[in-house]
Every structure is written in structure tokens, then in C-alpha cells.
Amino acid sequence: MTLPIDLPLIHFFQSLPSGAVSGLSWLSLLGYGEAYVLILVLLIWRNHRQQAQPLLFLLLFSSALNHLLKLLIAAPRPYWLYPELLLNLPDTAFGMPSGHALSATVFWLGLALWVRHWFFWVLAIAIVLLTAISRITLGVHFPSQTLAGVLLGLLSLTALPRLTSLCQNASSHRFLALIGPIVLLLITAICYRLINPPSFTAGSLSLYDQTFIDIIHSPWSLKGLVRDCFLLAGLIFGYLKLMSTKPNSLFIIRFPHILLGLGIGLIYWVTSGILTKSVFSEEWLYLLAQSLRSFLLGYGISYWIPFLLVDRHHQQLSARFVDG
């Protein structure tokens, strides 16, 4: 499932001077969706909800869709077939489409649609291209896989205007309609996994010369898809709860309290992740726990943290804006 030009392009980029290859390896960090989620959460907390919230929803949904496509296509990464190509840490997920290329496309071009300045468009396109090239150079994706990620990101962005309109003029029943596609993704992925179980057992067999530690981290794992879907569901339900509790409030969290909110979220996510991995060794129980911790994080981001941190200073914030 590769193109004739895939391997020659990988060899070309890996033959670049060592400084260029090293720089591209650092640029690969620009494709991690977790960083983009964090940035969008901060923008929401700083009263840019109308622009940042639909982009956050789209980023998570497109990421979940990407995980499903990886399962359905089941394409190997370059270094699974040619181990000498690996210039980075190994990755156990399937390769098609590239999640880094997808996340960079949705985030940066989505921001460009918001900023609407030619310089930002040039910057966004450059970052997307460099992210895709970095993944090729590190041997973790074929060029066709990064191209597929970019195209999927562009296709996802066509839904951004509609999603923005929905978030700006949302009633409860219209907002809950967003849950439908999430449920569809989950049902499709679970049914596929039940019908097509992995052809290896935990820690005993290998796939494409790549031995996996356990089935939870296998390429057939639903972990990423479950995480994104339930995080998105938690964000939606948390936002609806916040709107019903404080429909006319100013949702601007001051920077010291943003740091507090980030600290609370980080401690929760890390500790719950450690507990989940140490307590649940059976795959489906692990996924159930992963679903719960992801939903609670989304709910906390949308409701608990804004409710607690805004409520205490709401009158001061309102007075400040009235005086201004």
C-alpha cells in the first residue's frame, strides 16, 4: 500500500545534512495534537470561545476519525518494513493516515481561517509542510501517508464554518446532535475490532518485525479513538452544563488561575493514567477506564475549572469590562 516514489523520497530527506535532519526531527513536535488541544483550551479560557471551541471540537473529531481509518486500513509504517529507516522513537499505531500531518493541518489552517492575514497563511502552510516532511524524514511515515493526513485535514476543515455557526448559536438539542457522529465512530471501531480481532496475542507474536509489549499498545488498540471521542463528549456536556448554570457570564480566567487550572488538569491526567495502566491489564476494562478519565477531563475543562475559577472573580471581571 505504498507509492513507487515513497521510498526514494524517504531516502532523499534522510540524506540531507545532519543539521537539517536534526532540525526536522524537532519540527516533528509541531504535529502533536495534545499541544494543540492545550493551546485551544487556553484560548477558550481567555474568552475566545466562539473561535477556539469549534476548532477544538473539529481537531478532536478528526483525530478520532484518523484513528478509525488507521484501524480499517492497517498500513505499516516504513520502519516496520525497513528497520534501518527509523530515526525516531518507535510508534505502535498503524501509519495511514498520518496523525501529525492531520493535526497540523486542522490546527494551523483553522487558525489561519480565524486570523485572516496573508502572513499567517504563509506561516501555517509552511508549518504543515515541514511537519509532513519531518515525519517522512524520521522514517515513521511514507510520503503517501502524510499526504493522506493533510488531505483528511483539509476535508475536515470544510466542516469548520458549519461547526462555528452551531457553537455560536447553539441550543441544547442542536449541540447534543454533535454526539451522534461520536457514537457512530465508536460503534464502527468496536464492531470492526470484534469482527477482526488482532492476529497475535499480547507479548508473544510480532507484526511487520515489530514486537509489541502488550495488546493495549498494539496497532489495533482503540485507546486513541476512545480518548478523543470521550474527551470531546466531556467537553460538550461540560459546556452545556456551564451555559445552563451561568448563561450570561464572562468566561475570562486570569493567568494565575489559568496556571492553577492547568496544574489541576495535568495532575489529574498523569495520575489517572498511571493508575489506569497499573490496575487494568485486560483490554476492554482498560478502554472503559480510559473512556471515563477522558470524559471527566473534558467535563472539567468545560465546566468544573471555569465554574470554580470564574465564579470567584466574576463580579470583579464584569466591573472591569464595564469600566473599560
Side-chain angles (χ1 to χ4, degrees), residues 119-135:
F119 178 77
F120 198 90
W121 272 107
V122 172
L123 176 65
I125 293 172
I127 291 176
V128 171
L129 291 176
L130 289 172
T131 300
I133 292 173
S134 71
R135 303 303 287 170

Side-chain angles (χ1 to χ4, degrees), residues 253 257-258 260-261 304-314:
I253 303 178
H257 300 100
I258 283 180
L260 175 61
W304 283 323
I305 291 177
F307 178 82
L308 292 174
L309 299 183
V310 172
D311 184 63
R312 188 176 303 171
H313 303 277
H314 172 61

Side-chain angles (χ1 to χ4, degrees), residues 45 49 53 234-236 238-239 242 297-304 306:
W45 285 352
R49 181 181 297 275
Q53 186 180 59
L235 288 168
I236 292 172
Y239 174 68
L242 188 65
L297 177 66
Y299 197 84
I301 289 172
S302 274
Y303 174 64
W304 283 323

Side-chain angles (χ1 to χ4, degrees), residues 6-292:
D6 275 344
L7 277 177
L9 278 176
I10 294 177
H11 290 308
F12 169 77
F13 287 117
Q14 291 193 344
S15 67
L16 295 174
S18 59
V21 173
S22 177
L24 286 170
S25 67
W26 283 103
L27 284 172
S28 180
L29 298 175
L30 292 174
Y32 281 100
E34 291 85 349
Y36 298 149
V37 169
L38 178 60
I39 293 171
L40 291 172
V41 167
L42 294 180
L43 289 172
I44 290 173
W45 285 352
R46 290 298 296 172
N47 201 35
H48 296 289
R49 181 181 297 275
Q50 289 189 344
Q51 298 85 3
Q53 186 180 59
L55 187 55
L56 176 58
F57 288 176
L58 185 64
L59 180 66
L60 288 172
F61 183 81
S62 60
S63 177
L65 178 60
N66 183 70
H67 285 294
L68 176 60
L69 291 175
K70 285 180 182 288
L71 291 171
L72 298 178
I73 299 172
R77 293 176 181 267
Y79 74 91
W80 292 6
L81 302 176
Y82 312 98
E84 69 277 6
L85 294 178
L86 181 63
L87 301 182
N88 194 29
L89 295 175
D91 196 317
T92 58
F94 285 117
M96 173 72 86
S98 166
H100 280 67
L102 166 74
S103 296
T105 301
V106 172
F107 178 78
W108 288 105
L109 297 188
L111 284 184
L113 289 169
W114 172 14
V115 175
R116 296 183 182 277
H117 191 281
W118 68 267
F119 178 77
F120 198 90
W121 272 107
V122 172
L123 176 65
I125 293 172
I127 291 176
V128 171
L129 291 176
L130 289 172
T131 300
I133 292 173
S134 71
R135 303 303 287 170
I136 298 169
T137 305
L138 295 175
V140 292
H141 282 295
F142 289 108
S144 56
Q145 295 173 348
T146 60
L147 177 61
V150 172
L151 292 177
L152 180 60
L154 292 174
L155 181 62
S156 299
L157 283 171
T158 61
L160 185 59
R162 174 63 177 168
L163 192 56
T164 301
S165 175
L166 177 63
C167 291
Q168 291 176 350
N169 306 285
S171 59
S172 296
H173 70 278
R174 291 183 66 195
F175 221 73
L176 286 174
L178 296 173
I179 299 297
I182 300 174
V183 174
L184 181 61
L185 278 182
L186 286 169
I187 292 176
T188 304
I190 292 172
C191 290
Y192 181 80
R193 274 283 280 111
L194 291 174
I195 297 172
N196 300 277
S199 56
F200 64 93
T201 54
S204 62
L205 301 179
S206 63
L207 176 71
Y208 304 121
D209 298 320
Q210 173 79 13
T211 302
F212 299 100
I213 299 174
D214 55 52
I215 201 169
I216 292 173
H217 300 96
S218 79
W220 279 282
S221 175
L222 301 177
K223 175 186 175 183
L225 187 145
V226 163
R227 178 200 62 211
D228 293 339
C229 284
F230 279 90
L231 178 58
L232 179 53
L235 288 168
I236 292 172
F237 281 103
Y239 174 68
L240 288 175
K241 177 65 175 177
L242 188 65
M243 290 297 99
S244 66
T245 306
K246 294 178 172 294
N248 299 313
S249 296
L250 291 171
F251 296 107
I252 303 179
I253 303 178
R254 295 189 297 181
F255 283 109
H257 300 100
I258 283 180
L259 295 178
L260 175 61
L262 290 178
I264 294 172
L266 182 61
I267 292 172
Y268 161 76
W269 189 247
V270 172
T271 54
S272 64
I274 294 174
L275 288 173
T276 300
K277 290 180 180 178
S278 60
V279 173
F280 301 101
S281 58
E282 200 278 326
E283 182 185 17
W284 294 104
L285 288 177
Y286 172 86
L287 291 174
L288 183 62
Q290 179 76 3
S291 304
L292 179 61

